Amino acid sequence: MSKKRWFRLYIERWRDGTFGLTPNEIAAYITLLCELYDHDGILIRADLDLLARRCGMRPSSFRKAFETLTRRGKLTLDGDVITSKAVSEEIESRERLDGKFAESRQKLAEKRNEIREIQQRLPTDTEKRIKTRVLDSSLPPLGAGQSPSVQNFIKRREMARRRSA
């Protein structure tokens, strides 16, 4: 069975492709599509009576619906193997997309690793600011060039530190 438990359903294509089908034929078609997707596009040793039960239909009603679907080219019966061109094409498309997604995920992981390596080599922002203050004595004291309210806050904080020390 396939790992993929979903398939794309294009509403317009579905509506156009099922136009003129009876409710039984539509029920059989969607159930068979689900079975085909679940088995990677091929139903080997297909038991029509079992599939009729899966569809909730009498075997005679199911066979009639199945004949219509094969006659209209929706499904293909070759011996006891059921296939669908549309399902096969969608599975191939999905596999190509999965390959592209895997490639994109790989590139993204490589970029993230590069960024992590660069970040590990760089000093943290705090370390950089401390080193800059210690090494460059020509810098104005902390608080210079700031608004009066910020300067007053810094003075009050310094005074509170001195008192508690």
Side-chain angles (χ1 to χ4, degrees), residues 44-63:
I44 300 172
R45 290 185 296 278
D47 180 359
L48 295 183
D49 291 337
L50 176 66
L51 291 171
R53 283 192 299 274
R54 256 218 215 256
C55 294
M57 299 168 68
R58 288 190 213 112
S60 60
S61 298
F62 176 79
R63 286 180 195 281

Side-chain angles (χ1 to χ4, degrees), residues 67-97:
E67 286 172 14
T68 301
L69 294 171
T70 55
R71 190 173 55 251
R72 288 186 68 175
K74 303 290 181 194
L75 302 169
T76 305
L77 178 64
D78 188 17
D80 60 350
V81 177
I82 298 173
T83 59
S84 167
K85 182 180 175 186
V87 171
S88 299
E89 289 172 356
E90 181 63 24
I91 288 173
E92 288 173 16
S93 171
R94 186 171 64 190
E95 288 172 354
R96 281 193 305 273
L97 281 175

